[in-house]
Amino acid sequence: MITEVVAGTLRAAARGLCVLAVDGLSLEVAESAFRHAHIRPLRSTFPSTSTTAWLTAVTGTGPGVHGAVGMVYRAPGADRVTHLVTGDTHAFGDRPAPGDALLHAGPTLFDHAAASGRPALAIGAELERLTGPWVDALLHGARIVPSPAATAPLAVDPVSVAERTVREVGAVHLRAYDAPPLVWAYVNLDDHIHRCGYDARLREALLLLDTAAARWADAGWSVLAHADHGQVEATPDPALAAAWARLDAPAHCRMPGGGAGRVRWLHPHPGHEETVADALRDTLEDHALVLTPDELHARGLLPATPVVRARIGEVVALATSPHFPVPDPTVTWEHGSVSDGETLVPLAAWHPAPQPALP
């Protein structure tokens, strides 16, 4: 578990630990770009999406416990779905019941660092702009380092993102601390990858991060980087999207569907689960695997805990083809499902101290 690696590395860090939380980076691309790092593979969460994976990375608990089962899902007891990051809600009725808490996160690696007397600092202009339960849970216990970029339009260009990260982390490294700190920096490459994939500009950004990380390590810092998920190419089929929309409607479902990119689910009316599942299988054919929550549990993908059952739909579609009808048809790369391109991510290390073994 990445939380244990971070904790062990922080204990051994003479000067401090910097963690680069790189959003959207696949293992294969990291191996070709992080030339000064030692890299080991990690497996992302299911769904392989940011809200689920990052919360698991900082708390050490999975979605069966913390409840962040995707990007858009229902709160227990609700007849609407909520976008976990933006707070936007969607329902078929005029006055939908709001439901209970969207998630139940526990102590974070920041809480544990602070409890051991280590300063816990978080950097990331994109996260600094967010409000709501997810970002509060993610950064609980951390002191946010204000970014000048947080009040201006944020760059999506990956080189600009990398340069800003290097600049802001470097500034934090120059400060004096009573104990070796944990410095956790969010690096948003995901938005660019959704539109352009792992192109030359993206790889240039990774080379900048690699060079900076090696320099920090030479100066005595322990440095780790890991990702939440990778991405794979997407060419959504408009006909499949139209067919999904016909099923994701009041005639068949009690509320709009939820999910995360290449994993989506429906909430059929009670007693119609099998009918909707069969219709979805006939529609998507070999472009998706259609399962129930119990079948997800049996495959070891998502435990069917009461927390999960209260939030996920009864009919779940996992993309197996680039033509899967993802929620945003304008993206050219996407994630959420179970392919290696989406779920194999790097744990990279640049540091002078021996690195703890993965449990």
Side-chain angles (χ1 to χ4, degrees):
M1 188 68 70
I2 188 64
T3 48
E4 296 179 22
V5 174
V6 170
T9 306
L10 180 59
R11 285 194 297 269
R15 186 169 180 185
L17 170 61
C18 177
V19 177
L20 299 175
V22 187
D23 202 311
L25 181 59
S26 70
L27 174 64
E28 181 181 9
V29 175
E31 287 177 331
S32 67
F34 286 161
R35 299 172 181 174
H36 298 93
H38 173 70
I39 298 177
R40 291 180 286 174
L42 295 176
R43 183 71 70 171
S44 183
T45 55
F46 177 85
S48 51
T49 197
S50 298
T51 49
T52 307
W54 286 130
L55 199 56
T56 293
V58 301
T59 64
T61 62
V65 175
H66 59 59
V69 297
M71 189 65 70
V72 177
Y73 59 90
R74 71 188 293 256
D79 52 7
R80 67 182 183 184
V81 295
T82 300
H83 192 290
L84 187 55
V85 173
T86 67
D88 294 339
T89 61
H90 305 278
F92 291 143
D94 292 333
R95 297 181 180 178
D100 297 324
L102 280 168
L103 52 82
H104 302 286
T108 67
L109 54 86
F110 309 113
D111 290 311
H112 295 309
S116 67
R118 309 286 188 118
L121 311 173
I123 296 170
E126 293 87 353
L127 298 181
E128 203 177 331
R129 290 176 169 222
L130 300 180
T131 60
W134 181 74
V135 74
D136 289 346
L138 180 74
L139 300 181
H140 192 273
R143 179 165 66 83
I144 311 302
V145 179
S147 169
T151 57
L154 287 175
V156 175
D157 170 61
V159 172
S160 298
V161 172
E163 289 174 339
R164 166 166 50 89
T165 301
V166 170
R167 184 170 59 251
E168 294 183 354
V169 170
V172 169
H173 284 182
L174 293 174
R175 301 174 188 172
Y177 301 95
D178 294 333
L182 167 63
V183 180
W184 188 91
Y186 176 71
V187 188
N188 180 25
L189 303 181
D190 190 60
D191 289 343
H192 175 84
I193 299 167
H194 274 297
R195 305 297 171 183
C196 303
Y198 298 103
D199 62 358
R201 194 71 175 163
L202 186 282
R203 292 172 187 271
E204 182 180 349
L206 295 176
L207 292 177
L208 285 172
L209 294 175
D210 177 59
T211 300
R215 184 173 68 250
W216 298 331
D218 288 342
W221 286 82
S222 295
V223 186
L224 298 175
H226 70 97
D228 51 347
H229 57 75
Q231 295 204 37
V232 296
E233 289 188 82
T235 53
D237 185 334
L240 295 179
W244 180 280
R246 287 193 293 271
L247 288 172
D248 190 9
H252 303 284
C253 297
R254 64 189 189 278
M255 71 186 79
R262 282 169 41 90
V263 168
R264 304 180 72 181
W265 52 76
L266 297 172
H267 298 275
H269 293 296
H272 294 267
E273 293 86 356
E274 289 189 15
T275 300
V276 171
D278 288 342
L280 195 59
R281 289 188 186 97
D282 291 342
T283 294
L284 297 181
E285 297 180 327
D286 58 352
H287 300 294
L289 184 63
V290 178
L291 302 173
T292 66
D294 285 336
E295 290 169 330
L296 292 175
H297 178 93
R299 290 170 179 259
L301 294 174
L302 192 63
T305 63
V307 169
V308 170
R309 289 184 183 278
R311 289 164 172 79
I312 200 170
E314 294 81 8
V315 177
V316 185
L318 286 62
T320 56
S321 153
H323 305 309
F324 182 82
V326 296
D328 182 356
T330 67
V331 300
T332 58
W333 289 70
E334 188 55 284
H335 55 91
S337 193
V338 296
S339 72
D340 284 351
E342 296 159 282
T343 61
L344 280 179
V345 296
L347 170 59
W350 307 254
H351 53 68
Q355 186 180 5
L358 283 170

